[in-house]
Amino acid sequence: MNTQVALWVGFNLFVIAMLAIDLGLFHRKDHAVTPKEAGAWTGVWISISLLFCGGIWYFSGPVPALQWFTAYVVEYSLSVDNLFVFLMVFSYFRVAAEHQHRVLFWGIVGAFIMRAVLIIAGAALVTRFHWIIYLFGAFLVFTAVKMLVSKDEEVDPEQKWIVRMARKTLPVARLGEGSRFFVTEDGRRKVTPLFVVLLVVEATDLLFALDSIPAVLGISQDAFIIYTSNVCAILGLRSLFFVVASLMDKFHFLKLGLSGILGFVGVKMLITYFDIHVHIGLSLGIIAGILVASIVASLIWPKAPDPGHDRESAKT
């Protein structure tokens, strides 16, 4: 077995082992994840990611390590946008707090498979047809502008094509049964409403991957660096969800920051046509600066309270 294959196999076996420990040992019984527990797990996943980045630095040198870390920061920050949608989906379908971790867990497993296919295909295409990098760059700039000018609208999961398709093609049970995805009802094997929620989570992640994967391809075309940074970011996403779920409204400038990150990476990809290359260290500094600035701005200039919310509070 050559070194490259061994790295891919070893990394995926390690991830599978960590997920098995996570679900089989620490979350064997369904329970509502507390902010303290989520904060501890967030620290664990970030620490593991930094150790992995340190290993890349030690074995491959500083440039691949900086590429990995920059891709990790980009993916982690863009993944935060997923949390807004997940929160609304769980609220709409009234998913109990003790079942949310299980949905996110299996959503992560599906995300690994989908992203592995997209990353390998994307890296291969960029390597063979370099001009595709300019299409990705233009797409990211378009996405950044669209994100910047679009208004915040409440997501209606019932309007998502995946929900409509599931209700038409799958036998959906009238009632759920705990954290189970399949039940027997009226003598038939049916999927539970929680399984429909899982499908929405998977479809949402796929849509976000169409933005984030071109973004990290603008940082590195090494499939291993892109894949492992994606996986490490996604692994920490579940625990981060429970940490920031109650703080979403406080970071209202984050969307502006994410738009800036996408726009920067898109322009960075486009200007390579003129043989202008931004150093990876400078890229990391700009991306981190945009992210920190959007968070600090959100804290300095908090979002004005919703007038409707104030009226409701006055009544109670």
Side-chain angles (χ1 to χ4, degrees), residues 19-66:
L19 288 174
I21 292 172
D22 183 0
L23 188 63
L25 182 61
F26 293 102
H27 295 94
R28 182 169 53 185
K29 294 183 179 179
D30 293 331
H31 66 281
V33 179
T34 64
K36 183 178 179 180
E37 179 186 359
W41 272 105
T42 300
V44 167
W45 291 121
I46 291 177
S47 298
I48 291 173
S49 300
L50 293 178
L51 285 172
F52 185 82
C53 184
I56 293 178
W57 187 299
Y58 181 80
F59 290 106
S60 302
V63 173
L66 279 174

Side-chain angles (χ1 to χ4, degrees), residues 81-93 151-160 163 200 204 207-208:
D81 216 21
N82 289 26
L83 303 184
F84 291 87
V85 179
F86 293 166
L87 187 64
M88 286 184 281
V89 169
F90 287 158
S91 175
Y92 181 88
F93 285 101
K151 296 181 180 179
D152 291 326
E153 297 180 354
E154 189 163 340
V155 176
D156 183 4
E158 288 291 349
Q159 298 304 314
K160 285 184 173 287
V163 174
V200 175
T204 300
L207 290 176
F208 276 99

Side-chain angles (χ1 to χ4, degrees), residues 149-210:
V149 300
S150 63
K151 296 181 180 179
D152 291 326
E153 297 180 354
E154 189 163 340
V155 176
D156 183 4
E158 288 291 349
Q159 298 304 314
K160 285 184 173 287
W161 64 269
I162 191 71
V163 174
R164 298 199 301 268
M165 185 179 70
R167 294 197 184 283
K168 288 181 179 179
T169 60
L170 296 175
V172 181
R174 291 185 296 274
L175 298 174
E177 189 172 317
S179 61
R180 297 176 63 184
F181 294 126
F182 303 94
V183 295
T184 300
E185 184 180 86
D186 300 328
R188 294 181 62 196
R189 192 70 170 169
K190 297 183 178 181
V191 300
T192 64
L194 197 65
F195 183 80
V196 178
V197 176
L198 176 61
L199 292 180
V200 175
V201 169
E202 296 284 15
T204 300
D205 182 78
L206 179 60
L207 290 176
F208 276 99
L210 297 179

